[in-house]
Amino acid sequence: METNKKSIIILGIETSCDDTSAAVIQDGILLSNITANQDVHRKYGGVVPELASRAHQANIVPVVDTALKEAGVSKSDVSAVAFTRGPGLLGSLLVGTQFAKGFALANDIPLLAENHLQGHISALFLREKGDTHALPQFPFLTLLVSGGHTQIIVVKNQFEQELIGETIDDAAGEAFDKCAKAMGLGYPGGPIIDRKAKLGNPKAFKFAKPRIEGLNFSFSGLKTSFLYTLRDAAAENSNFVAEHADDLCASLQHTIIEILIDKVKTALKQTGIKEFAIAGGVSANSGLRDATEALGKKLNIKVHIPAFKYTTDNAAMIAISGYHKYLTGQFDNQSVTADARYYI
Ligand code: KG4
Ligand code: ZN
């Protein structure tokens, strides 16, 4: 009988880079999502892999414990454990993978090995209690933009994606982070540039835009053009960056978004798909979120923007991805390994 049906409870684990995260999902509804950020990398201006895996080791048990407590769930209630298999930093992935395998073995439950990029897309399907926002309908087009990836993907169903464009050099998040570093703004640079861009003029500076055929991206030319602007101006005025930081951030962000949206327009036209979504850490960017809304209105298509808190790395996206696999019985066994280059 429907009312006696046992709940499906998924514990999700994400440790692919520098965030240790655990989440609990019950019958597709998110109950908890706990993330421990690693401040240790800030002073190095980027993630130090060895320090990341050590911090994951210290954080994983308390993070999982808190996620279960907040969800009001005990270990014995968990139906399966979903974890990020890759892509990511091997040392970081190993911590989550080993923990998930141990947890599954000790509690005699199945394992669900998830892809981190697919997880970012699955974040679009996250719902909390009482949340009724419209979910994307297949097939839809996704711009996946993070610190390591910039891809245009046709999402055919929960398990099948087609990559139709990607960066040939730097990722969009990397462009934000490297340019922020050059301005001495700290790490990660994306959120800092986003904040400052709100105060600046997006037309104050012009930077080189790539001329790449088809649906691929390139950001290394923009980065070089940005660095040359700083170098040339600093030769005349050593205070240039401090005096123009807001305008530099606004112009850089404007250029990155133009590059992204131009290719998305081409992809929508080529595929004829009428739904578009953004995903990944850079989808937290307020300018990109606004540009996505505007694109939806202009082209009269449905757009999907993940809730801000599920844009950057989190375990909720891994748990929902695992939940979809659980429903179709796609389990993994104890021989599964972490895979730094696990692409879909
Ligand atoms: O998805 P994510 O958390 O980790 C990876 O899988 O890479 O993405 C991190 C990236 C970083 O490059 C960070 O600077 C960028 O997302 N990011 C942003 C914003 N918030 C995070 N970029 C632009 N604007 C933001 N508000
Ligand atoms: Zn990510």
Side-chain angles (χ1 to χ4, degrees):
M1 233 167 69
E2 188 64 25
T3 45
N4 285 338
K5 215 176 88 184
K6 197 173 177 298
S7 271
I8 297 167
I9 297 180
I10 308 292
L11 169 67
I13 311 269
E14 154 65 36
T15 64
S16 68
C17 190
D18 61 339
D19 296 306
T20 317
S21 187
V24 176
I25 280 191
Q26 179 171 21
D27 298 326
I29 302 294
L30 184 66
L31 300 183
S32 66
N33 181 48
I34 305 294
T35 303
N37 306 113
Q38 303 180 356
D39 261 349
V40 62
H41 308 287
R42 211 172 281 275
K43 64 173 180 253
Y44 299 99
V47 177
V48 184
E50 179 55 31
L51 296 180
S53 43
R54 265 191 256 166
H56 283 307
Q57 276 169 1
N59 292 339
I60 187 85
V61 171
V63 163
V64 170
D65 212 38
T66 310
L68 290 172
K69 276 207 185 89
E70 197 172 284
V73 159
S74 69
K75 278 185 225 160
S76 58
D77 297 328
V78 177
S79 317
V81 53
F83 68 97
T84 306
R85 184 181 177 200
L89 300 170
L90 187 60
S92 291
L93 291 165
L94 277 170
V95 178
T97 304
Q98 286 313 113
F99 181 90
K101 286 168 84 168
F103 190 97
L105 197 61
N107 294 287
D108 195 22
I109 53 173
L111 274 171
L112 302 155
E114 301 305 311
N115 179 286
H116 180 80
L117 303 177
Q118 187 164 12
H120 274 301
I121 298 172
S122 298
L124 294 157
F125 293 87
L126 275 171
R127 271 183 170 159
E128 293 172 28
K129 205 166 170 217
D131 180 356
T132 54
H133 76 269
L135 302 181
Q137 300 289 307
F138 301 111
F140 64 93
L141 199 77
T142 298
L143 173 70
L144 176 58
V145 267
S146 71
H149 300 89
T150 301
Q151 304 183 328
I152 301 180
I153 299 164
V154 178
V155 185
K156 298 180 175 172
N157 59 49
Q158 296 290 5
F159 314 109
E160 217 187 322
Q161 293 95 3
E162 186 187 349
L163 180 67
I164 59 170
E166 65 182 331
T167 183
I168 59 166
D169 41 56
D170 290 348
E174 240 175 319
F176 273 107
D177 294 342
K178 285 180 177 169
C179 292
K181 194 171 181 180
M183 287 187 280
L185 290 182
Y187 178 86
I192 305 170
I193 289 182
D194 192 353
R195 250 190 340 265
K196 289 187 145 316
K198 291 193 177 108
L199 309 169
N201 173 7
K203 301 271 167 69
F205 297 97
K206 266 206 158 339
F207 306 115
K209 292 213 303 188
R211 287 198 199 89
I212 307 279
E213 292 280 310
L215 297 176
N216 284 341
F217 300 94
S218 165
F219 288 99
S220 71
L222 167 63
K223 180 188 64 192
T224 308
S225 160
F226 186 81
L227 297 181
Y228 283 174
T229 302
L230 297 193
R231 189 197 60 186
D232 296 349
E236 310 264 309
N237 170 10
S238 60
N239 231 2
F240 174 79
V241 172
E243 285 169 16
H244 298 276
D246 295 344
D247 284 347
L248 285 164
C249 289
S251 302
L252 174 71
Q253 179 170 302
H254 178 75
T255 312
I256 293 175
I257 294 170
E258 257 184 7
I259 295 170
L260 294 171
I261 295 289
D262 274 356
K263 292 286 178 171
V264 167
K265 280 187 194 153
T266 311
L268 285 167
K269 206 166 170 186
Q270 268 182 25
T271 58
I273 292 175
K274 296 275 180 250
E275 290 205 24
F276 170 61
I278 53 174
V282 181
S283 71
N285 185 269
S286 58
L288 181 59
R289 293 167 85 87
D290 290 348
T292 301
E293 288 285 4
L295 185 71
K297 288 209 176 81
K298 188 171 168 208
L299 302 182
N300 195 23
I301 58 167
K302 259 208 181 112
V303 294
H304 302 273
I305 298 172
F308 181 80
K309 55 189 164 182
Y310 307 127
T311 51
T312 50
D313 292 349
N314 65 84
M317 68 188 201
I318 300 305
I320 188 74
S321 193
Y323 174 70
H324 294 142
K325 264 174 77 180
Y326 187 99
L327 292 179
T328 52
Q330 301 176 59
F331 302 123
D332 295 278
N333 62 38
Q334 287 283 333
S335 63
V336 69
T337 52
D339 182 353
R341 306 195 145 271
Y342 181 44
Y343 287 102
I344 36 179

